[in-house]
Amino acid sequence: PERRLRTRYLPKRHAELAGGSLYWIHQHAIVARAAIRGFEQRADGHWDIVLDHRLVLVHPRPRRAHQGWRYLAAADAPPDLAAGEVAGDPLPGRLVRELSRLGLV
């Protein structure tokens, strides 16, 4: 199965993004990724980003929220959590923002 994420415009780098991952941001931290299967235009003119149904948890990394998701270069992407690995309790978003502002995370 697949998931679809509606977006207004086709990303300029769509050809290189297919086969990569879309990273999900929750409470100001990257927490998971989904493989990008491709892009399809909808009847209303918008685009669907076609994603793998399975979410892969990653080591949480503080990140300013932007539409709840991001594309990342491989060098900037957090590593996946190993099977059974737990990242610990996530910090509250307000605390992550403050620690980030202070340069501590």
Side-chain angles (χ1 to χ4, degrees), residues 3 9 86 103:
R3 293 179 187 264
Y9 303 108
V86 178

Side-chain angles (χ1 to χ4, degrees), residues 14-25:
H14 69 277
E16 66 184 85
L17 293 172
S21 292
L22 183 135
Y23 290 82
W24 293 96
I25 300 169

Side-chain angles (χ1 to χ4, degrees), residues 38-53:
F39 299 85
E40 293 180 10
Q41 191 162 23
R42 300 163 48 107
D44 63 5
H46 291 139
W47 289 83
D48 278 340
I49 303 172
V50 183
L51 303 168
D52 192 54
H53 182 71

Side-chain angles (χ1 to χ4, degrees), residues 5-95:
L5 177 66
R6 184 181 146 248
T7 188
R8 188 174 296 178
Y9 303 108
L10 178 66
K12 292 178 183 178
R13 297 174 29 213
H14 69 277
E16 66 184 85
L17 293 172
S21 292
L22 183 135
Y23 290 82
W24 293 96
I25 300 169
H26 180 69
Q27 293 186 346
H28 300 279
I30 297 172
V31 295
R33 69 178 181 84
I36 300 172
R37 292 184 174 184
F39 299 85
E40 293 180 10
Q41 191 162 23
R42 300 163 48 107
D44 63 5
H46 291 139
W47 289 83
D48 278 340
I49 303 172
V50 183
L51 303 168
D52 192 54
H53 182 71
R54 186 175 72 97
L55 285 178
V56 177
L57 298 178
V58 299
H59 286 274
R61 181 175 293 168
R63 188 69 173 216
R64 186 173 5 148
H66 181 274
Q67 297 179 354
W69 51 270
R70 280 302 235 188
Y71 310 113
L72 297 175
D76 297 329
D80 294 349
L81 288 174
E85 185 178 9
V86 178
D89 294 331
L91 295 173
R94 188 179 315 156
L95 179 58

Side-chain angles (χ1 to χ4, degrees), residues 27-28 62 91-101 105:
Q27 293 186 346
H28 300 279
L91 295 173
R94 188 179 315 156
L95 179 58
V96 170
R97 281 192 307 274
E98 184 63 21
L99 291 173
S100 181
R101 186 184 69 74
V105 292

